[in-house]
Every structure is written in structure tokens, then in C-alpha cells.
Amino acid sequence: MKFPLPLAVLSLLATPVFSQVALDSVKGFGDLEKVAAQLATQPYQAPSQQLDPFFEGLKYDGHRQIRFLRDKALFAELGDTYRIEFFHPGWMFKKPVVFYNMQAAKTVDVPFDRTHFEYGDLKVPAEAKNPVGYAGFRVLAPDSLVKRPFEFMVFMGASYYRAVTTELGYGISARGVAVNTIGGEPEEFPDFTHFWFQQPKPGDKSFKLLALLNGPSITGAYEFESTPGVTTEMKVKATLHLRKAVKMLGIAPFSSMFWFGENSNPKPYDFRPEVHDSDGLQIEIEGGPSIWRPLDVSRDLRLSIFETDRLKGFGLAERDRDFNNFQDLEANYHRRPAVWVEPVSGFGKGAVTLVELSTGEETWDNIVAMWKPDQLPATPAEPLKVEYKLHWLDQHEPAGLYKVISSRRGFVMDSDDHLYVIDFAPQKVTRNPQDKEWTPDIDVVLSGGEGQVIDKRVMKNNETGGWRAFFKLDIPEKSNLLEIMMELKDGKKVISERWMYQWRR
């Protein structure tokens, strides 16, 4: 049985917006670019959220009972290849999404089918109307990859998506785009309203899909080509159109969670030493520096902006992999992936932007990292095109440099001076083998407020095989904010990541 398209889609199809390219005629990214460009010239129409009262009223416990039947997966009949399982609308996810299968001969819609779900103990009324689309989907890799069914990617809610590796579980979330996260205007959350799946075949190394983005201020065409593995790689291509001017546009944005870590003072009353999905922001600039910015939160919003026109890459990382530092058998925070953005094109002058929000618990993301372009299109007709790779992985290594592995702070004993203790991992550095007494120099620079470095030194950490840097700060009462930068040097040569931190009273 073929179900009707959502009312919102029917209304769009009836307008000139899709007169040149029908949604069921999209065969590739170029077709979708035309759809997004036309849509940008039309008034925004919010996705329909009309559900049957039964599904509208579902709470968390009820919604989680609804399970997609594995043998009903899209492409399940094609053999050992990628498969799609869908999520049922309800609870927090009330916006139905439209899906298409780009077959070799033609593109066909993928309608909602209630028989593809089991409903557990839920008593679904016989007269309940079916949703007009699914809420989202997960992608399963070919079973031969890890010799079992392996879900490695999920798209669900607004433009959010997540991925895992064969070694690491879910944690950080990515988004298609961020709009007005900062700047004073209400934040917008555009939706991926339509998806097109390229029909896979056995032996394919990657899975490709297209997505249409639509929001009050922006439209966009996206292409994702994803390859799961020890590092799961996504090639992302996007063409964006602004319906109207925005205060801030974030490209390749992530959302993560940081409640407290080794650098948090005071810590919440909790049995676990640390609770976070990510513990630092990592940035690499062509020609240097390579930056490590430990995450932290305080009572007020924390905003950090790293301007450059030579971005090599950035990402949020979970560097701490020691279970003893988390002690959480259920959340497994020590097994959350890092994500690294590798720009391909469209990243000129701009800024890596980090937003850290206060939080009192661990269930909500409170960290946002993104690339903020310096210049934005002036009209809907002017596209903003970007390409980048997302690497979901254990670590992105800062090649040839001592890497920060821990950041701790506190008061000096019997004093109100501040003490910082930074550990660096071992790293081979070419030196005269007879120079056994060599110790790196330490450079500490303060900005953004008044403060004084009153002591600094480096010593060998025989437990890790790396170096431990110490420095003390005298911060006067009138200072409320201080930016701190520290590097290890061999003479004038920088030999470590640039450790950067924002102190707040």
C-alpha cells in the first residue's frame, strides 16, 4: 500500500518552488542544489507535526517500546550491504521526515509502514492514523565488516546526526548547520526534511545519501558519503542559501557534554571523578600553532574565538581513555569518540568558535564547537559552498609535538595564588644523545585581564615518560577573566601543543 505524502510536502509540490526539479526526480547532488536554491526564494513553511493523539501523547517509556523489525530494513533484500532502519514518530520526535530510494532506474518514495514495527506492551488503537513519515533513521554496515549487525550512523531530530567506530560508542553529535547560537538573536534549528538514499550493493565501501535542509533563515543541499571502520569517515558537501541575514552561521558544528573533569573546581557531589563526552577543543593552523583548549564550565557562558585564514582542522576530543578516571560502567565515557573536521574547500577567513554553557547534570549537551565564516552571502541567490571530512576516531594526533594529556589546577598551599599543572605525553624529539640533562623551556603568556606569572618550571614525569609543566599565577581581586597560553620550547622552537585556557572568577 502506498501512503500519501505529508501535507507540507504536497503544498510545496503545488508551488513553483519545485517546478524545475520534482523531489522524486532527484538523482544526485546537482539536482538537490537546484531544489535548495528554489526553496530559498519561497517563504518558510515549517514541517508538519500533526500526529494521531495516541502517538502525540507518547512519553519516553512508551516511545522506546516501539522497535523497528530488522528484517524489514530498507535494502535488506540486497545481500551483505548497507541497510536502513527507521524510527517511529512520537515523544520528542514529532516531525515526520520524507525519504526516497534512488534506484538505478528511478527515484521512488519510501512510505511509512506500521507493519515494520513491533509495539511492545503499547495498545495502539485500531483507528489510530499512521504518521505520514518516519522520524529518522539508522544505518547498518554490511555484516561482514565486524561479523555482526553494526549500527554506525544515526540521523534524528532537526539536522542532528551521530556516528560511531568499530571500537567506540555514541557520544558527540554533529549538526548540518548552526544558526544564531551566539549573537543575541533566538537560535534556529533547521531541519533535514527530506533524505535520498543511493541504493547500495554488496562490496560497497561507503554509503551515500542526500539531505535537504530547510529553516526560517536558510536552505541547503547536503551530500554525505560515509565509510565505517576503526575511524569512521564522512565526506560532507553542502550548498547553503540564506533566506535572510543571520547574526551567526556555524559550519560543521558539534554538540557535546562536559559536566566536570580533572580541572573542575569545585566538583559536584558525585561518586565519579569525571563526567564528560569531550574534554578539549583541538585546533590546527597551517604553519602552526597546534592548539589544545581544555573544556570547562562556570556560572556564566564562556565564549572562545580562534580567528584564522589558515585552518588545517579542528574538533572536539575525548583524550582521557582511562576507566579509572570515570568509574561509569553504564555510560562508558572513556569510550566516546573524538571528531576531527578536515576542511576541503570553502573555509577561508573565519574563526573556530567554542561555546561552553553552565550545566548541573549530564543529560543535556552544553558544549558547541563550529567554524564561523567571516563573510556570508548577501542574497538568497548567492550560495555558500563548503566541503569537509568528518573523522570519528580515537584521537587526532598533533604530529611531532608533545601532546597535552591532563590539565589540573588549584590553589597553592597556604596561599590564594593559582597553581596549574599540565602533563604532556612522551614524544620523540631529535636532540644530541649526550644531552641527557636537557629539560624543555616553558613559555606562559597572559592576556584579557590582569595577572602575573610568579613561578614556572618543567620536570620529567617518570610515571608517564613525558613532561609535567607547573606555573603559578597571582590574580588580583579586580580581575574576573584571564586568557592563559602556555607552550613548551627548545630554545625558540615550539615543541608542544599550545595549551590555552580561560580563567573566570
Side-chain angles (χ1 to χ4, degrees):
M1 180 177 180
K2 197 166 185 177
F3 289 81
L5 290 172
L7 294 176
V9 177
L10 291 174
S11 64
L12 288 173
L13 289 171
T15 68
V17 63
F18 296 120
S19 59
Q20 296 180 25
V21 181
L23 296 177
D24 60 1
S25 296
V26 170
K27 299 292 292 182
F29 184 66
D31 293 335
L32 188 56
E33 285 184 303
K34 296 175 184 177
V35 174
Q38 295 172 29
L39 188 60
T41 66
Q42 305 296 316
Y44 172 67
Q45 291 179 290
S48 170
Q49 298 190 57
Q50 294 182 352
L51 292 177
D52 183 272
F54 177 81
F55 298 122
E56 174 77 25
L58 286 177
K59 304 299 182 184
Y60 171 77
D61 289 334
H63 188 254
R64 71 194 300 260
Q65 289 195 55
I66 306 176
R67 303 284 183 175
F68 191 86
L69 298 172
R70 184 141 288 180
D71 62 343
K72 301 296 184 181
L74 184 65
F75 309 130
E77 76 283 1
L78 299 181
D80 185 31
T81 191
Y82 294 92
R83 306 180 302 285
I84 306 294
E85 297 181 355
F86 296 98
F87 295 108
H88 199 293
W91 184 45
M92 293 174 57
F93 307 101
K94 294 180 169 60
K95 298 177 183 178
V97 181
V98 181
F99 297 95
Y100 295 93
N101 176 4
M102 294 188 295
Q103 299 175 344
K106 61 179 180 178
T107 296
V108 298
D109 65 302
V110 181
F112 178 89
D113 192 332
R114 193 190 293 185
T115 65
H116 289 180
F117 294 91
E118 59 181 5
Y119 289 83
D121 296 331
L122 293 178
K123 306 298 183 184
V124 183
E127 69 277 9
K129 295 180 180 179
N130 284 341
V132 293
Y134 298 106
F137 64 96
R138 59 166 65 97
V139 184
L140 279 72
D143 289 351
S144 57
L145 181 68
V146 290
K147 311 305 179 186
R148 59 175 172 83
F150 171 51
E151 170 195 323
F152 77 96
M153 184 169 64
V154 169
F155 282 75
M156 191 172 182
S159 67
Y160 283 90
Y161 58 98
R162 300 194 296 169
V164 298
T165 77
T166 54
E167 309 296 324
L168 302 170
Y170 283 115
I172 192 172
S173 297
R175 272 192 277 175
V177 71
V179 180
N180 293 338
T181 304
I182 57 175
E185 295 294 324
E187 185 170 9
E188 296 181 12
F189 294 89
D191 297 285
F192 283 143
T193 58
H194 301 70
F195 287 91
W196 291 257
F197 303 123
Q198 181 173 290
Q199 185 165 301
K201 57 183 182 298
D204 283 350
K205 298 299 183 184
S206 60
F207 180 73
K208 185 179 289 187
L209 63 89
L210 305 176
L212 176 64
L213 182 83
N214 192 18
S217 299
I218 193 169
T219 68
Y222 282 76
E223 179 183 271
F224 297 87
E225 185 175 353
S226 304
T227 306
V230 175
T231 292
T232 293
E233 180 181 288
M234 293 181 179
K235 298 178 181 178
V236 184
K237 185 188 301 183
T239 299
L240 304 171
H241 296 266
L242 289 177
R243 277 194 170 101
K244 59 183 181 180
V246 298
K247 289 287 187 181
M248 190 283 303
L249 185 67
I251 303 299
F254 308 131
S255 298
S256 191
M257 182 277 295
F258 183 94
W259 185 14
F260 60 95
E262 64 202 9
N263 55 316
S264 298
N265 287 310
K267 286 184 171 63
Y269 187 57
D270 193 280
F271 77 93
R272 297 163 295 182
E274 302 181 41
V275 176
H276 48 73
D277 286 334
S278 306
D279 56 9
L281 171 69
Q282 191 175 3
I283 305 170
E284 287 187 359
I285 310 298
E286 290 285 354
S290 181
I291 297 169
W292 176 253
R293 164 69 160 78
L295 298 179
D296 201 357
V297 294
S298 53
R299 292 170 299 178
D300 303 315
L301 178 147
R302 303 161 69 100
L303 177 63
S304 301
I305 297 173
F306 305 85
E307 295 183 339
T308 182
D309 58 359
R310 298 177 291 111
L311 181 68
K312 187 176 180 181
F314 77 99
L316 289 174
E318 182 77 313
R319 282 191 172 170
D320 195 337
R321 297 300 185 193
D322 188 344
F323 169 77
N324 291 318
N325 293 336
F326 295 92
Q327 291 292 333
D328 197 318
L329 292 172
E330 297 178 340
N332 288 318
Y333 287 117
H334 65 299
R335 304 305 299 158
R336 302 296 173 100
V339 184
W340 181 252
V341 179
E342 178 187 346
V344 175
S345 64
F347 289 72
K349 187 178 181 180
V352 175
T353 303
L354 175 67
V355 181
E356 298 162 293
L357 301 171
S358 176
T359 185
E361 43 83 42
E362 64 194 281
T363 58
W364 298 102
D365 286 349
N366 63 317
I367 305 295
V368 181
M370 57 199 159
W371 171 254
K372 179 180 176 293
D374 190 59
Q375 297 292 329
L376 295 177
T379 69
E382 182 184 352
L384 173 62
K385 296 190 175 187
V386 295
E387 292 186 46
Y388 53 93
K389 295 179 182 178
L390 288 183
H391 304 270
W392 305 74
L393 74 174
D394 181 87
Q395 297 290 332
H396 175 80
E397 296 292 338
L401 296 171
Y402 288 108
K403 180 179 74 173
V404 177
I405 56 174
S406 68
S407 304
R408 295 180 173 86
R409 64 192 182 101
F411 284 119
V412 178
M413 185 178 296
D414 298 325
S415 170
D416 60 357
D417 293 332
H418 298 258
L419 172 65
Y420 285 82
V421 181
I422 316 302
D423 274 308
F424 292 86
Q427 172 66 41
K428 292 182 180 180
V429 176
T430 303
R431 292 193 56 80
N432 185 335
Q434 296 180 351
D435 191 3
K436 297 180 180 180
E437 301 302 319
W438 174 80
T439 300
D441 300 316
I442 178 175
D443 188 19
V444 182
V445 177
L446 307 180
S447 62
E450 291 190 30
Q452 181 181 1
V453 181
I454 55 177
D455 185 23
K456 58 181 180 179
R457 56 194 172 96
V458 180
M459 65 183 295
K460 189 71 175 180
N461 186 333
N462 292 321
E463 297 299 320
T464 66
W467 299 103
R468 173 168 286 188
F470 303 81
F471 61 92
K472 300 174 185 177
L473 301 179
D474 179 11
I475 304 176
E477 283 294 326
K478 61 182 178 182
S479 288
N480 294 311
L481 175 67
L482 199 62
E483 295 286 349
I484 312 170
M485 184 276 286
M486 186 271 291
E487 295 172 324
L488 299 184
K489 289 186 173 181
D490 183 0
K492 294 183 178 181
K493 181 182 178 182
V494 175
I495 58 173
S496 75
E497 289 183 300
R498 176 176 291 179
W499 181 90
M500 301 186 72
Y501 197 79
Q502 185 181 93
W503 175 86
R504 281 179 176 268
R505 188 169 298 281

